[in-house]
Each structure stands twice: as C-alpha cells, then as structure tokens.
Amino acid sequence: MRKINIVIIFFLGIFVFTSCHQPAEKQAANKVQRKRVKPANTGYHFENAKEWLKKNNTALQLNILLAVNRTDSSNFAKMDSILVPNDITGDVEFYLPFPLSVAYLKDIKKIIFFSYPAQSFGAYEMGELVYAGPTNMGRKADPTPTGLYYTNWKAEKTTSTFNDEWDLKWNFNIENKLGIGFHQYELPGYPASHSCLRLQEKDARYLYDWADQWILAKDDSIAAKGTPVIVFGAYPFGAAKPWLQLINDPHILDIPESAIQQQATPYLQDIIIQQQKRAAVEVDK
C-alpha cells in the first residue's frame, strides 16, 4: 500500500510541475478554452428597469442586462425601458457582438477591439476571446478617433484633462498627446465621453491588470509599445441606439471573424513588429 501511495504522489508531482511550467501561450490557451454557457433563446423584449429590479434576479443576470443596455448600475434604474434577453442563463459574451475565436489572430498575444457602433469591446489572447463588455465612447462633438493604438501608461486614479473635478479610475492611456484612454466612468447608455472609452469599474479593472504598459528606455523614449488597441466603426448619431434593433433581429450586431480580420489586416504587420520588439526588450531586461 505504501508503494502505491508513493507512485501516486510521484505522478501527481509530475502533473503539477508540468501544469505550472507550461509556456505562457499554452496557459493562455487553456484559460480561454473554458466551457461557456450559451443561452437557448436568443430573443429579446422590453421591460421597465425599476419593475425588473423588483424581481428576484441575480447579480449575474443584472451584469448581463447592464452589458446589453451599455450602461452601469447607477444609470440602469433611471431607464424607463430596458432591453431584456428572453434567456438570461448564458455567459455575458453571448449577449455581446464579438466572436469567441478569431483564427487570424492566433499569433497575437494580446489585442483589444472597441466597436463604435456596437459600443462594446472584446479582448483577445492568441485569437481567443478572454473578456468582453460594454463601453460608452466619444459623443458626437468629441468622437473617439478610430484606428490602431497601443496601451501606454496607466494609473489607478487620475484627473481628467477636460475637467479637474472628474476622477478617472483604472485609467489606461492609449494616446498620450490627446489624453485618450479607457477607464471607469459613468455609462449613461450612449456615447457621452470627451473622446475617451468609458467602462464599468470591473471591466476597467480587468483591462488595467490584463493589458501591458509601454516600456520606456533610460532617456524616456519608448523602448517597446504596450497592447494593441483597435477602435473601429461609426456610431449612428441622431438615430436609435443600434442594440435596440436586437428586438427584431437578435444577431444584427454580430461581428463575424471576417470583420475582425478586415479591421486587423491593415495593422497586422506593425502589430507583429511591435510584439517582436517587445519580446526582445523583455529578454534584455
């Protein structure tokens, strides 16, 4: 019996060692290959927010409704009419438009996409969606510029350059000269910012911890850029919120793999070059 126990302990030791010493890419792949729960019904209907809150709903269901309505808990109760999925038993990714997997991005360690028309974001590791959520981007007078960015510096709390009374939590800058970044701030349920990308606090905190900062040289020049960020699309200002169309077509906002590839292709060479450069700098450190 003692010999059997020794053998079991030996093989458990091997298993733990190999699991903890997998390459980072392998660990990332294992992390995102979790089993997701897909809702059986993809339809939507309208309800009154206050009436919905009176029901015995869970925190996870509320999280889904906040994502669907592109808002946060402080603004949710103020909404007369909210969009409610007929089935709220799935994972939040199934209620947002980004594809779960994009083979075209399999060699990109990390990348974030922000969709202006869908007012949502998706974060990918090696082509697999690891996180998604709602956003409220630049208002009509101060639109968020589209294109490729890289995450620069970050701060747990900073002050807005537009108003020194606005405190921005979990701020990650993506355009240093213009002062554009993603951070926690209230989400009224439509583009309302001064060019920045507003997030719920939990989402801002996740991206704050997940994305990479730039690496500066001794002379403060940029030795390596951070995580690539692509902002794309145009918001239909003056028209109804795009996600309200889900009531008639639950897949109308879906972003197919081909669309993500189309957005990434013009920037792919630069992204790969910057990724290789960062890897070399990290080795030198």
Side-chain angles (χ1 to χ4, degrees), residues 161-181:
T161 56
F162 285 94
N163 189 324
D164 59 12
E165 295 183 357
W166 297 348
D167 292 325
L168 313 178
K169 297 175 66 177
W170 311 113
N171 182 56
F172 218 136
N173 177 273
I174 62 171
E175 217 301 330
N176 201 33
K177 293 181 180 179
L178 298 178
I180 298 175

Side-chain angles (χ1 to χ4, degrees), residues 11-82:
F11 281 106
L12 282 175
I14 292 176
F15 173 78
V16 171
F17 178 84
T18 54
S19 297
C20 295
H21 291 78
Q22 294 180 57
E25 293 81 359
K26 183 69 174 178
Q27 291 186 29
N30 289 342
K31 177 182 177 183
V32 299
Q33 286 175 358
R34 63 182 174 83
K35 185 177 180 180
R36 290 183 168 98
V37 179
K38 185 176 182 179
N41 188 322
T42 58
Y44 291 83
H45 63 277
F46 289 115
E47 290 190 34
N48 177 271
K50 290 182 180 179
E51 292 301 318
W52 187 88
L53 287 170
K54 291 178 182 178
K55 301 176 183 178
N56 188 25
N57 297 302
T58 68
L60 290 176
Q61 290 174 331
L62 176 59
N63 181 49
I64 290 171
L65 260 65
L66 296 180
V68 167
N69 291 279
R70 277 55 172 180
T71 190
D72 55 20
S73 56
S74 64
N75 285 278
F76 182 77
K78 302 175 186 177
M79 296 181 171
D80 292 330
S81 182
I82 56 169

Side-chain angles (χ1 to χ4, degrees), residues 194-254:
H194 294 76
S195 301
C196 284
L197 307 107
R198 296 183 182 182
L199 302 170
Q200 294 180 15
E201 182 165 5
K202 66 179 180 60
D203 298 341
R205 178 62 191 271
Y206 179 92
L207 294 183
Y208 183 92
D209 292 333
W210 177 81
D212 298 313
Q213 292 189 89
W214 60 12
I215 299 175
L216 299 180
K218 291 182 179 180
D219 61 358
D220 285 338
S221 62
I222 301 174
K225 295 183 178 181
T227 300
V229 178
I230 295 178
V231 181
F232 67 95
Y235 188 81
F237 291 102
K241 299 174 182 177
W243 45 95
L244 296 183
Q245 300 176 54
L246 293 170
I247 200 78
N248 298 316
D249 181 356
H251 299 289
I252 196 166
L253 293 184
D254 287 1

Side-chain angles (χ1 to χ4, degrees), residues 149-164:
Y149 299 91
Y150 290 90
T151 49
N152 299 322
W153 53 268
K154 64 182 182 179
E156 291 187 16
K157 188 176 181 180
T158 187
T159 303
S160 169
T161 56
F162 285 94
N163 189 324
D164 59 12

Side-chain angles (χ1 to χ4, degrees), residues 34-40 87 89-95:
R34 63 182 174 83
K35 185 177 180 180
R36 290 183 168 98
V37 179
K38 185 176 182 179
D87 182 347
T89 62
D91 285 337
V92 69
E93 296 95 334
F94 289 104
Y95 304 93

